[in-house]
Amino acid sequence: MSQLKRGGAKQGELKRGGAKRYDPDKARQLPGARAFLLYLLPMPMLFVALWRMLGGNTSSALGFALCFALCMVAATLVRNGLSIEQEAKRRKIVRRSSTVPYKLIGAGVLGGAIFIGAALGAKIAFFSSVLLGIAAAVGAVFTYGTDPSRNAPDMPAVGVTSEEVLEILNEADEKIVAIEAARDRIHNVEMKDRLKNIVKGVREITDIVEDDPRDLRRARKFLRTYLDGAQRVTEGYADTHKYGDNGELEDNFRNVLETIENVIEEQKGKLLENNLTELDVQIEVLQMQLEKEGV
Amino acid sequence: MPEKLKKMIGVVMLVCAVGGVSCVGLLGPSVDRVMNSGSDVKVVE
């Protein structure tokens, strides 16, 4: 039944044409910006460590230095966890490496760091140091949340791993960004429109693959070979085009774009046809099951 | 607990714990000096 629902959703999404725009810069900035507090808060400890060292209090200086270093490790771990969480939200497929609970480990390391800083550096009583450590760890968990599900969906029946699917989808996203960048340098309105259609079509195909990674087997060649070719041709045309218009070059480029558009349509058709066939088979199986059980 | 409240409490806990240790580190010697300055005072009856 879940298969039926998935097939239905896929077609609905295509009708809406709700292709997402990939913004690699935004994707990279957010986790860093969110873990900024964890990098910023321990900064005074570095100065305290230096100050204590100059004052001849070596054990206290070492305590603060160790605390600062561990805080940086904790911040990096939490940042890594946030990055994986964000990718999981952006994509429907979770990377298998997210089985490591980075955020939880980061919170634990932060708790330990604060305990060391309080007990060894600031010479606070043992019990109070433990309380401060616990407060820091709980605070980190409350602020940054827990890690995404550990049971990342593996796809043994599909014949591809989630890592492979994500790698190909990320590569496709980068190629789309490159094509869009080259498109901005082209002034020919017709070519711009054609490239816009191509990008839209490619995004629809990546959405289909993301919804159902089994389609990767059929779309892999397109996403690797054809998209790579489209990127190279578009960049080449954008570079040559700035030196002036050339009729023959434009005709050739137009032909290439037409071919790519046709390939995209064929590819989409194949993927949808395959889903419809699957749907038919599932309906038949369901009918047989219902007849057998006398419903 | 609402997610926003949980985050706010988390930030306050983080700032208090991490910032608290830093503050004690910065102000510790001054606090010690103030505390120890009273030890020389003798009460004369």
Side-chain angles (χ1 to χ4, degrees):
Chain A
M1 284 301 280
S2 62
Q3 303 279 354
L4 289 172
K5 278 179 192 166
R6 197 163 52 187
K10 189 184 291 182
Q11 285 167 44
E13 272 176 29
L14 281 176
K15 272 177 197 166
R16 284 200 306 274
K20 291 169 288 178
R21 184 169 285 271
Y22 176 65
D23 188 350
D25 293 334
K26 201 177 173 187
R28 282 186 201 114
Q29 278 168 9
L30 269 173
R34 280 187 69 194
F36 182 65
L37 193 67
L38 281 184
Y39 284 105
L40 183 74
L41 282 175
M43 282 299 163
M45 286 184 200
L46 194 62
F47 298 107
V48 173
L50 287 172
W51 188 29
R52 290 285 168 102
M53 184 70 89
L54 291 172
N57 194 345
T58 320
S59 66
S60 177
L62 277 175
F64 276 115
L66 191 59
C67 176
F68 176 77
L70 285 174
C71 282
M72 291 299 114
V73 172
T76 308
L77 284 168
V78 172
R79 184 191 161 111
N80 210 350
L82 287 170
S83 177
I84 286 170
E85 188 187 18
Q86 198 182 22
E87 189 177 277
K89 276 180 187 167
R90 192 168 62 85
R91 297 269 186 222
K92 290 160 192 162
I93 306 157
V94 183
R95 204 177 271 279
R96 278 191 298 170
S97 53
S98 66
T99 46
V100 178
Y102 285 106
K103 286 200 271 183
L104 209 61
I105 295 173
V109 172
L110 183 74
I114 295 304
F115 169 73
I116 290 171
L120 292 180
K123 312 284 184 201
I124 296 174
F126 180 81
F127 185 67
S128 304
S129 301
V130 170
L131 282 182
L132 279 168
I134 291 171
V138 172
V141 171
F142 274 18
T143 310
Y144 300 107
T146 46
D147 296 271
S149 170
R150 283 185 184 203
N151 302 318
D154 201 359
M155 293 170 278
V158 182
V160 286
T161 62
S162 52
E163 300 285 331
E164 203 177 353
V165 178
L166 283 170
E167 189 190 324
I168 290 174
L169 289 175
N170 286 340
E171 268 178 31
D173 279 337
E174 280 167 19
K175 284 170 194 166
I176 289 172
V177 171
I179 290 173
E180 283 187 325
R183 181 180 165 264
D184 288 341
R185 289 187 279 141
I186 296 170
H187 304 295
N188 188 317
V189 181
E190 185 204 341
M191 303 302 179
K192 275 174 102 85
D193 284 347
R194 281 183 185 276
L195 283 168
K196 193 179 175 184
N197 284 335
I198 286 172
V199 166
K200 194 183 164 196
V202 175
R203 284 193 198 283
E204 282 174 1
I205 289 173
T206 55
D207 276 357
I208 292 174
V209 173
E210 202 177 321
D211 276 337
D212 188 352
R214 283 174 300 180
D215 289 327
L216 184 69
R217 281 175 297 174
R218 282 174 291 275
R220 193 197 302 258
K221 193 180 172 189
F222 169 79
L223 290 175
R224 281 243 157 105
T225 317
Y226 283 97
L227 199 54
D228 201 39
Q231 182 197 339
R232 274 188 280 115
V233 168
T234 312
E235 284 176 340
Y237 176 77
D239 289 340
T240 322
H241 179 73
K242 65 184 173 191
Y243 298 115
D245 288 337
N246 180 330
E248 195 185 347
L249 178 75
E250 282 192 8
D251 286 343
N252 287 342
F253 187 57
R254 187 178 291 109
N255 289 338
V256 170
L257 292 186
E258 270 174 10
T259 311
I260 295 169
E261 280 175 321
N262 291 337
V263 170
I264 286 174
E265 286 307 314
E266 274 176 31
Q267 187 72 57
K268 274 185 346 195
K270 271 184 197 172
L271 295 176
L272 288 175
E273 188 185 353
N274 179 63
N275 290 326
L276 289 174
T277 314
E278 274 180 14
L279 197 67
D280 284 343
V281 172
Q282 282 161 2
I283 290 168
E284 272 179 34
V285 170
L286 194 66
Q287 274 177 342
M288 278 169 66
Q289 200 179 350
L290 290 172
E291 281 169 17
K292 196 179 167 186
E293 289 173 9
V295 182
Chain B
M1 196 189 296
E3 200 60 33
K4 214 168 182 178
L5 180 68
K6 201 171 158 185
K7 273 193 177 173
M8 278 172 68
I9 293 170
V11 171
V12 171
M13 284 173 88
L14 262 181
V15 172
C16 288
V18 185
V21 173
S22 300
C23 279
V24 173
L26 281 170
L27 303 172
S30 319
V31 174
D32 283 346
R33 231 174 285 133
V34 171
M35 297 290 275
N36 292 333
S37 64
S39 61
D40 294 335
V41 178
K42 286 176 185 173
V43 180
V44 181
E45 290 186 13

